[in-house]
Amino acid sequence: MMMVTSIFLFLLLLFKSSFQLNNGLGRTPQMGWNSWNHFPCNINENLIRQVTDSIISTGLAAVGYEYVNLDDCWQISRDAQGIIQADPNGFPSGIPALVDYVHSKKLKLGLYSDAGFATCDNRPGSLHYEVKDANTYASWNIDYLKYDNCNSDGTMPIERYPTMRDALNATGRPIFYSLCEWGIDEPALWASDVGNSWRTTEDIQNYWLSMLNNIDINNEYANKAGPGGWNDPDMLQIGNNGMTDGEYMTHFGLWSISKAPLLIGCDVRNMSSTTLSILSNPEVIAVNQDPLGVQGRKVAFSSSRLPNTTTNVVNTDCSINIDPKRRQWVYNHDDGSIRSLFNGQCLSIQDCNPGGGANIVVSDCRVNDPQAPCQGRNQQWILSQFVENLVSRLNILCLALFHHKGPHLVADGCDIQSDQAWIFHLSDGTIRNKYDGKCLTAEAELEVWAGPLVDGSQAVLLLNRGNIGSEPITVQWSDINFPANKSALVRDLVNRKDLGTFTGSYTSPNITRHEIMMLKVTPTA
């Protein structure tokens, strides 16, 4: 009987180990560089060698950046045996020679493939070639695989991605497995035993709203990440000149406290000193790499105290713990305005932007004001009863979820998709999206993000999401699970200096719009 039980337990463990990711990697979020954000398909072996050298000469390797990752377009075809072939024009020496060069510099090389018949740029994908490709990568001594989701056979990602996991496991070589499924089927809910990281979002674009949208989505899965498997809101855009330096510091701080992968996406051969300073800040990086591995998240909200402020509007869970008036609205049939019960401001297309993709905010109502920009037409909406659209009188575009998913809102070309359908609930004053049932919400301008660190301290990020001015933000000890009567040392991580000992709370100096202050709060004995 004991022998039967032992055999059963052995088989159970064998079965389990065959269907778990067991490469021992990703105990902290991965750090490195990826080619896509800056170079797309314009990559070659000389560029990768230069990037490798720059990661070392700039000191980026010394602070933890170790992966040099080729994204799409390194591959061109398969040979008669089905072996994947590198593009001979870009990589005439072959991938193994490039791996040797990167390894000789004490860094690691990553490649890209796709869980479909073709990659997103129509190069050969790995669907039905998983074992062959995994064995090829291992024979080349590859260290990392980013696995995309274009051109599939229609099966769900939860079915296709474990196949490559098992193929990588079987090679015996530890290869970091990064799932790039774009968050469509919520891999955070099922990928913890499949990959070392999983995308929670669509591709990040190089502007403020896209960056915020990705980190807001990523925040929804904060309790799903930990050592060995991380939520991935996509690669860094810092240094690509689409945001201000202050916004890029915000980008880096949010990714760091969220335990997101830190994958540089700029040309590290030609960085500004400010870009290098942001990317190499050791105390901010230490939060990201803290071995406790708990993802920081939003823990508190407060309202701007500035007059004439504009606030972003988002589509959020109707039960979120904020002032309920922030998600209550009144539609004025006489002038077409939609007014917030929180502050009386009007739902508006920001800056009277007539183009598709314009940001949606609430701002002071100036409907039919001849002195107002665009005479207030950016605050007038037509309620289409038949298809439940809200159509702007400014540009005949519809209120829609950013990238069809949100949480941020934009004005976009009208169609019959459910992400553009809105239902007025007269019983509670909410406007709910038909796609996901979430509520139209005037966002709080000031936020506190926090997460515990291994030494018992808390990493805290104070974010001014407002669109004008600057103002202080307070973190209460109750926000970070410290006793109200407890004293704590507060350290400014960005500027690397102690600010003093405080009891019960800390209030920052004025923080400029779209910028942060990042702190370490350590209880005193």
Side-chain angles (χ1 to χ4, degrees):
M1 182 66 177
M2 184 176 294
M3 180 177 295
V4 173
T5 302
S6 299
I7 293 172
F8 174 78
L9 289 173
F10 172 77
L11 291 174
L12 180 64
L13 290 171
L14 180 64
F15 177 83
K16 184 175 181 180
S17 66
S18 299
F19 293 92
Q20 298 286 324
L21 185 70
N22 56 8
N23 60 18
L25 301 175
R27 304 312 298 171
T28 59
Q30 66 267 40
M31 296 178 64
W33 176 89
N34 179 282
S35 60
W36 186 259
N37 281 354
H38 191 86
F39 295 99
C41 276
N42 301 311
I43 56 173
N44 58 66
E45 62 184 38
N46 290 332
L47 168 68
I48 302 306
R49 289 193 181 99
Q50 292 168 13
V51 165
T52 300
D53 293 343
S54 294
I55 289 173
I56 295 167
S57 64
T58 57
L60 289 169
V63 295
Y65 295 93
E66 61 176 341
Y67 289 105
V68 180
N69 293 340
L70 283 63
D71 210 282
D72 206 350
C73 303
W74 66 268
Q75 67 279 72
I76 191 69
S77 62
R78 295 186 181 276
D79 68 11
Q81 287 72 45
I83 303 299
I84 193 73
Q85 302 294 301
D87 186 340
N89 293 320
F91 301 90
S93 303
I95 298 300
L98 188 59
V99 172
D100 289 344
Y101 184 84
V102 173
H103 284 178
S104 75
K105 304 295 183 177
K106 310 302 182 186
L107 298 178
K108 299 175 180 179
L109 190 94
L111 291 180
Y112 163 103
S113 191
D114 191 287
F117 297 110
T119 71
C120 298
D121 208 71
N122 290 312
R123 307 299 176 100
S126 290
L127 187 63
H128 306 318
Y129 287 88
E130 292 89 353
V131 171
K132 193 176 292 288
D133 285 353
N135 288 334
T136 300
Y137 302 150
S139 72
W140 290 347
N141 291 322
I142 293 300
D143 303 294
Y144 188 111
L145 177 65
K146 175 182 174 181
Y147 207 44
D148 218 330
N149 193 33
C150 288
N151 300 305
S152 76
D153 60 358
T155 57
M156 301 293 286
I158 195 172
E159 300 176 43
R160 284 178 284 116
Y161 278 84
T163 307
M164 180 57 84
R165 172 204 60 194
D166 295 341
L168 293 172
N169 275 347
T171 69
R173 178 173 177 78
I175 297 176
F176 192 105
Y177 187 29
S178 171
L179 280 58
C180 182
E181 181 268 4
W182 323 315
I184 292 175
D185 291 298
E186 297 189 280
L189 304 183
W190 52 263
S192 62
D193 63 349
V194 178
N196 297 113
S197 66
W198 44 84
R199 278 276 295 279
T200 53
T201 67
E202 295 192 6
D203 290 358
I204 189 173
Q205 305 301 316
N206 190 21
Y207 59 94
W208 174 252
L209 180 62
S210 175
M211 184 273 288
L212 275 188
N213 197 75
N214 278 26
I215 202 64
D216 285 341
I217 293 172
N218 194 74
N219 181 66
E220 297 177 9
Y221 304 105
N223 65 342
K224 303 301 180 183
W230 306 101
N231 291 319
D232 178 7
D234 204 6
M235 299 168 291
L236 299 170
Q237 287 285 5
I238 298 158
N240 285 330
N241 299 319
M243 292 179 250
T244 68
D245 288 336
E247 289 171 339
Y248 279 140
M249 186 65 243
T250 298
H251 181 7
F252 194 65
L254 286 167
W255 261 239
S256 292
I257 201 168
S258 300
K259 301 296 189 290
L262 298 181
L263 295 175
I264 298 169
C266 69
D267 185 353
V268 294
R269 304 169 305 168
N270 298 292
M271 290 182 293
S272 71
S273 59
T274 301
T275 293
L276 178 58
S277 177
I278 292 170
L279 292 171
S280 59
N281 187 304
E283 297 194 23
V284 176
I285 290 172
V287 170
N288 180 264
Q289 296 291 297
D290 183 77
L292 186 63
V294 176
Q295 179 174 324
R297 59 185 178 84
K298 300 180 191 183
V299 297
F301 313 85
S302 58
S303 301
S304 172
R305 294 167 290 277
L306 298 176
N308 304 317
T309 188
T310 64
T311 300
N312 287 333
V313 180
V314 291
N315 187 56
T316 62
D317 192 307
C318 300
S319 62
I320 193 170
N321 186 26
I322 60 171
D323 188 330
K325 289 185 178 180
R326 283 189 172 274
R327 51 178 173 261
Q328 293 176 315
W329 307 84
V330 174
Y331 181 68
N332 187 319
H333 290 271
D334 295 329
D335 63 14
S337 65
I338 299 175
R339 299 180 185 241
S340 169
L341 285 186
F342 177 72
N343 56 17
Q345 290 184 320
C346 284
L347 190 71
S348 311
I349 294 177
Q350 189 173 22
D351 299 327
C352 294
N353 186 342
N359 191 30
I360 302 298
V361 297
V362 288
S363 59
D364 289 346
C365 297
R366 300 188 66 182
V367 177
N368 296 324
D369 181 350
Q371 303 302 314
C374 60
Q375 295 76 52
R377 287 183 294 115
N378 64 319
Q379 299 180 333
Q380 293 180 294
W381 302 87
I382 302 167
L383 176 58
S384 173
Q385 298 289 349
F386 179 68
V387 292
E388 299 170 320
N389 290 143
L390 286 169
V391 184
S392 170
R393 292 185 182 178
L394 173 69
N395 50 20
I396 318 301
L397 297 178
C398 282
L399 185 68
L401 300 184
F402 183 76
H403 285 174
H404 304 290
K405 186 175 180 180
H408 287 262
L409 300 173
V410 294
D412 214 343
C414 297
D415 56 36
I416 58 173
Q417 295 190 57
S418 58
D419 74 288
Q420 293 188 0
W422 301 91
I423 301 171
F424 283 75
H425 284 248
L426 299 179
S427 60
D428 61 7
T430 60
I431 301 176
R432 304 193 183 211
N433 186 262
K434 192 171 184 178
Y435 168 71
D436 57 16
K438 294 181 178 180
C439 285
L440 193 73
T441 305
E443 193 170 50
E445 297 85 2
L446 311 177
E447 289 182 348
V448 178
W449 296 57
L453 302 176
V454 72
D455 63 0
S457 63
Q458 286 268 343
V460 174
L461 183 144
L462 309 177
L463 169 61
N464 183 351
R465 301 179 74 121
N467 293 316
I468 64 170
S470 62
E471 53 191 311
I473 302 175
T474 297
V475 52
Q476 302 286 345
W477 282 188
S478 58
D479 297 333
I480 56 176
N481 299 316
F482 285 176
N485 61 353
K486 188 79 171 180
S487 295
L489 176 66
V490 177
R491 182 169 176 82
D492 180 342
L493 297 181
V494 175
N495 295 301
R496 287 177 265 173
K497 63 180 182 180
D498 290 336
L499 301 176
T501 300
F502 300 82
T503 302
S505 66
Y506 170 77
T507 299
S508 74
N510 281 352
I511 298 175
T512 302
R513 62 181 287 275
H514 295 184
E515 296 190 9
I516 63 167
M517 189 170 190
M518 196 164 178
L519 310 169
K520 183 176 182 180
V521 183
T522 305
T524 56

